Amino acid sequence: MNCADLRVGLFENFEELVEINLCKNRTMVPGKNKLLRCFQFIKMDAVSIGDYCWNGECTNCQIWYEAEDGEIKSALACRLYVRPGMVITEVSTNLKTDLID
């Protein structure tokens, strides 16, 4: 089985990858997807088996991001859709372990 086949149906339909700034690192992720799926795109194995509920009941996927008005806001990555140019300033300990460390 091809590894790419495992991703079929995992992500919402997207036409292009968009650039985001993830804790001062620029990276490309699928557009039109929730951030937790985007993080899974970056580190498939770690995020797939990470301690996330995927439906907003826990706060293990909490992030802090710069809103369009420049204010830093918090959100759950499983609930927030990515937007091109998004700046994520901080992530939860779980995400830090899975994505950055």
Side-chain angles (χ1 to χ4, degrees):
M1 175 180 275
N2 184 338
C3 290
D5 293 339
L6 298 174
R7 294 183 181 204
V8 172
L10 187 60
F11 302 101
E12 294 184 41
N13 288 333
F14 65 95
E15 297 168 5
E16 63 184 357
L17 297 177
V18 298
E19 184 176 288
I20 63 170
N21 185 313
L22 177 59
C23 298
K24 299 183 182 178
N25 295 305
R26 292 190 302 188
T27 190
M28 302 296 282
V29 297
K32 299 182 181 178
N33 274 267
K34 292 184 180 175
L35 278 172
L36 193 54
R37 287 287 178 209
C38 293
F39 296 157
Q40 191 175 28
F41 181 84
I42 296 168
K43 292 275 184 113
M44 179 64 76
D45 292 339
V47 175
S48 294
I49 63 170
D51 188 20
Y52 308 105
C53 69
W54 294 88
N55 59 13
E57 291 181 11
C58 73
T59 59
N60 293 345
C61 68
Q62 187 170 16
I63 59 121
W64 290 262
Y65 70 101
E66 189 175 309
E68 291 180 15
D69 64 4
E71 182 181 348
I72 301 297
K73 296 185 176 184
S74 68
L76 297 178
C78 66
R79 297 274 173 118
L80 185 66
Y81 279 88
V82 68
R83 62 177 165 73
M86 186 173 223
V87 176
I88 299 167
T89 58
E90 186 64 45
V91 296
S92 68
T93 302
N94 288 51
L95 285 170
K96 195 174 291 184
T97 298
D98 291 341
L99 293 174
I100 299 168
D101 294 341

